[in-house]
């Protein structure tokens, strides 16, 4: 076994063990969570961020967020977003930022008026600090990360390592999920998103990270499995993460992962030589076979319920009226709010407050686009335009970032079904701004 294979296998086994410890030891989540925080800061300081170590530390925190939320390993619920920003600011201290990242300074400034409105108008029966933090921490995290990554030069190898840093904690997560729900057939009774197969946590967020993990290990299977051992490890992880993602019964994250994979295959196909295209075609066949196997196994374990879920049917096989699990009504409500407050918006969190006053239910937005339009008004629309156009403009002179379309797809699709509850959409978006320097390969 080659050294690279031994190192890779060691990292995978280590995170399998971490996943088991997170489930079996009450102190492990806190130890793990705080180790990531303080270890990441020391790692960046000791290296003086000479080789963008901040991106590795941040990636690992992003990948571990979901399992730390499941196990209560973070100091506070939203800490991962703030931890990401702390890491980035330490990196900025050592490496500075691009003076051309003006667009993202403007984006951050556009968020301020809506926050001021909330400070003045929000009903104090609802926590002011929590509402602002819950709704704005994601966009602020995106802005801070983007200011750091804007046109920063990296190699494709460094991007692959960054993705691996996200993927390793997801390996720990699937171990935790397996131990949490050892017998799937006993708990599947319907076609709704299932918290029991999601570690007792929100299936939408778990599915989001598992879909991302599926993409990460498919990318390694497609581009970095040069030996039979690496191929076997990546194939197994791809199949098992896909299976665990399916049985969350939350479709958004898995569909996003599949879109990213298709985008990667299409883009990377044009970057490889004619000889390597044959090998790539063979890898694609293996990937499709692994997805098929994961689907049939999921169908068997769920007594066919997963088939009905993706066909938008209930347990009795009847087609559901709303294909988006109530999200359409929420988006329509937020659009109506924008029409009432078109300039500065209603204020951060106030749309949820007014919805609570009308219905008696605290229903949070699932769509970051309609939330920004409702709560930030025309300034929110301007902010979204900045986010959409800037990476596409940079892409004109950044053709070697073969993951750019994948990262943008993850951000755009995720914020449409899961808003920005996680740090992942913000960080993945910022990776699309990196300037990839080509190597000989």
């Amino acid at each position: 076994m080659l050294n690279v294979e031994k190192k890779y296998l060691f990292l995978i086994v280590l995170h399998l063990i971490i996943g088991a410890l997170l489930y079996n030891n009450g102190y492990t989540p806190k130890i793990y969570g705080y180790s990531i925080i303080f270890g990441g800061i020391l790692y960046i300081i000791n290296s003086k961020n000479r080789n963008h170590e901040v991106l590795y530390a941040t990636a690992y925190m992003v990948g571990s967020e979901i399992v730390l939320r499941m196990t209560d390993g973070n100091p506070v619920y939203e800490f991962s977003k703030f931890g990401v920003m702390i890491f980035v600011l330490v990196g900025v201290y050592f490496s500075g930022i691009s003076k051309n990242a003006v667009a993202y300074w403007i984006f951050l400034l556009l968020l301020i008026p809506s926050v001021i409105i909330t400070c003045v108008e929000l009903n104090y029966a609802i926590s002011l600090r929590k509402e602002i933090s819950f709704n704005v921490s994601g966009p602020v995290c995106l802005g801070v990360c983007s200011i750091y990554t804007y046109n920063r030069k990296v190699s494709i190898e460094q991007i692959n390592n960054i993705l691996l840093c996200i993927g390793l904690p997801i390996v720990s997560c699937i171990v935790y999920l397996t131990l949490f729900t050892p017998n799937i057939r006993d708990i599947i009774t319907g076609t709704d998103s299932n918290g029991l197969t999601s570690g007792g946590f929100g299936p939408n967020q778990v599915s989001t990270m598992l879909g991302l993990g599926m993409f990460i290990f498919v990318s390694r299977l497609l581009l970095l499995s040069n030996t039979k051992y690496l191929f076997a490890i990546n194939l197994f992880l791809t199949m098992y993460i896909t299976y665990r993602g399916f049985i969350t019964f939350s479709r958004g994250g898995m569909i996003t992962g599949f879109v990213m994979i298709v985008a990667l295959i299409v883009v990377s196909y044009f970057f490889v030589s004619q000889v390597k295209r044959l090998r790539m075609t063979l890898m694609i066949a293996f990937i499709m076979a692994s997805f098929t196997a994961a689907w049939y196994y999921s169908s068997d374990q769920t007594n066919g319920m997963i088939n009905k879920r993706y066909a938008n049917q209930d347990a009795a096989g009847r087609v559901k009226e709303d294909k988006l699990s109530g999200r359409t009504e929420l988006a329509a409500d937020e659009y109506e709010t924008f029409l009432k407050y078109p300039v500065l918006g209603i204020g951060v969190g106030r749309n949820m407050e007014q919805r609570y006053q009308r219905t008696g239910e605290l229903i949070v937005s699932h769509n970051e686009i309609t939330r920004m339009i409702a709560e930030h008004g025309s300034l929110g629309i301007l902010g979204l335009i900045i986010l959409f156009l800037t990476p596409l403009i940079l892409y004109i002179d950044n053709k070697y970032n073969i993951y750019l379309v994948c990262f943008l797809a993850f951000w755009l699709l995720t914020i449409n079904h899961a808003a920005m509850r996680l740090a992942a959409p913000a960080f993945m978006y910022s990776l699309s701004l990196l300037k990839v320097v080509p190597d000989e390969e």
Side-chain angles (χ1 to χ4, degrees):
M1 188 177 286
L2 301 175
N3 285 336
V4 65
E5 295 170 332
K6 291 178 181 178
K7 184 184 295 185
Y8 190 59
L9 183 60
F10 169 77
L11 290 172
I12 298 299
V13 172
L14 174 63
H15 284 82
L16 292 174
I17 295 170
I18 289 172
L21 290 174
L22 289 172
Y23 180 78
N24 289 305
N25 191 316
Y27 294 102
T28 304
K30 289 294 184 186
I31 296 172
Y32 182 54
Y34 281 90
S35 296
I36 295 171
I37 298 166
F38 294 111
I41 292 173
L42 289 174
Y43 175 58
I44 299 167
I45 292 174
N46 286 338
S47 64
K48 292 185 169 43
N49 198 38
R50 293 187 185 91
N51 294 299
H52 309 303
E53 284 79 6
V54 64
L55 295 177
Y56 301 133
T58 302
Y60 195 88
M61 177 166 283
V62 167
S64 64
E65 181 176 14
I66 198 73
V67 74
L68 290 176
R69 283 189 175 182
M70 288 178 189
T71 57
D72 196 28
N74 269 335
V76 293
Y77 184 80
E78 293 283 333
F79 182 80
S80 289
K81 294 175 191 172
F82 296 106
V84 164
M85 288 187 273
I86 291 169
F87 284 176
V88 170
L89 292 175
V90 175
V92 168
Y93 173 78
F94 288 107
S95 304
I97 57 174
S98 170
K99 63 181 180 181
N100 295 320
V102 178
Y104 294 98
W105 286 109
I106 295 173
F107 171 75
L108 291 176
L109 291 173
L110 292 174
L111 301 175
I112 296 175
S114 184
V115 174
I116 294 173
I117 292 172
T118 297
C119 292
V120 175
E121 300 289 344
L122 187 69
N123 181 347
Y124 284 88
I126 299 174
S127 171
L128 179 67
R129 179 187 61 80
K130 285 184 178 179
E131 284 313 305
I132 292 176
S133 172
F134 181 79
N135 289 286
V136 178
S137 57
V140 172
C141 182
L142 183 151
V144 171
C145 290
S146 298
I147 287 170
Y148 176 81
T149 60
Y150 187 90
N151 239 6
R152 194 171 291 271
K153 292 181 180 179
V154 297
S155 67
I156 196 69
E157 180 185 3
Q158 287 176 308
I159 291 187
N160 286 325
N161 289 336
I162 290 166
L163 290 176
L164 181 60
C165 288
I166 298 174
L168 289 172
I170 295 175
V171 172
S172 300
C173 181
I174 61 171
V175 174
Y176 180 87
L177 293 175
T178 302
L179 296 173
F180 190 90
T181 50
N183 195 334
I184 301 300
R185 294 188 185 192
D186 293 343
I187 60 174
I188 301 297
T189 57
T191 61
D192 292 330
S193 297
N194 197 307
L196 292 175
T197 59
S198 306
F201 196 68
N204 198 16
Q205 296 180 39
V206 175
S207 168
T208 296
M209 293 309 295
L210 293 183
L212 178 57
M214 177 181 71
F215 163 77
I216 289 169
F217 288 101
V218 164
S219 71
R220 300 191 72 81
L221 186 63
L222 190 66
L223 305 173
L224 297 167
S225 295
N226 297 321
T227 70
K228 60 183 180 181
Y229 291 110
L230 294 176
F231 173 81
I233 293 169
N234 290 323
L235 182 65
F236 171 77
L237 289 173
T238 296
M239 292 176 66
Y240 196 69
I241 292 174
T242 303
Y243 160 66
R244 293 303 314 193
F246 280 147
I247 63 173
T248 64
F249 279 73
S250 182
R251 296 165 293 186
M254 298 307 293
I255 292 172
T256 298
F258 284 120
V259 171
M260 294 173 73
I261 290 165
V262 172
L264 176 62
I265 290 171
V266 171
V267 173
S268 60
Y269 199 78
F270 293 100
F271 279 85
V272 298
S273 64
Q274 195 69 34
V275 175
K276 287 189 177 182
R277 284 182 184 176
L278 180 61
R279 178 182 178 276
M280 190 173 178
T281 303
L282 184 62
M283 285 294 184
I284 293 170
F286 275 109
I287 291 167
M288 293 177 65
S290 68
F291 287 155
T292 303
W295 176 262
Y296 279 108
Y297 186 67
S298 301
S299 180
D300 175 68
Q301 290 293 298
T302 61
N303 298 313
M305 290 293 180
I306 193 67
N307 304 60
K308 294 178 180 179
R309 173 62 172 171
Y310 278 80
N312 196 46
Q313 298 174 350
D314 62 17
R318 295 169 298 203
V319 177
K320 298 178 181 179
E321 291 184 9
D322 187 353
K323 296 182 179 181
L324 299 175
S325 304
R327 292 181 175 88
T328 305
E329 293 179 7
L330 284 174
D333 178 67
E334 287 167 337
Y335 179 68
E336 289 178 9
T337 301
F338 166 71
L339 295 178
K340 294 177 184 176
Y341 304 90
V343 181
L344 298 179
I346 193 173
V348 173
R350 291 195 64 227
N351 195 50
M352 185 179 72
E353 178 194 12
Q354 292 201 357
R355 195 181 296 127
Y356 174 73
Q357 291 172 351
R358 291 196 311 269
T359 66
E361 295 181 293
L362 276 174
I363 305 173
V364 296
S365 176
H366 287 269
N367 190 312
E368 190 69 16
I369 294 175
T370 56
R371 186 202 68 79
M372 283 196 68
I373 291 173
E375 298 185 357
H376 298 267
S378 298
L379 298 184
I381 294 176
L382 181 57
L384 288 169
I385 291 172
I386 290 171
L387 297 185
F388 283 126
L389 293 183
T390 306
L392 296 178
I393 293 170
L394 291 179
Y395 191 41
I396 296 172
D397 190 38
N398 195 15
K399 300 287 187 177
Y400 289 98
N401 189 345
I402 61 172
Y403 292 113
L404 186 148
V405 176
C406 307
F407 296 156
L408 279 182
F410 176 81
W411 168 74
L412 181 58
L413 294 176
T414 299
I415 67 172
N416 269 281
H417 74 85
M420 293 187 72
R421 312 265 170 78
L422 298 168
F427 182 65
M428 296 301 291
Y429 173 91
S430 71
L431 295 182
S432 70
L433 304 175
L434 291 170
K435 171 80 170 179
V436 176
V437 180
D439 54 27
E440 291 182 6
E441 185 175 358

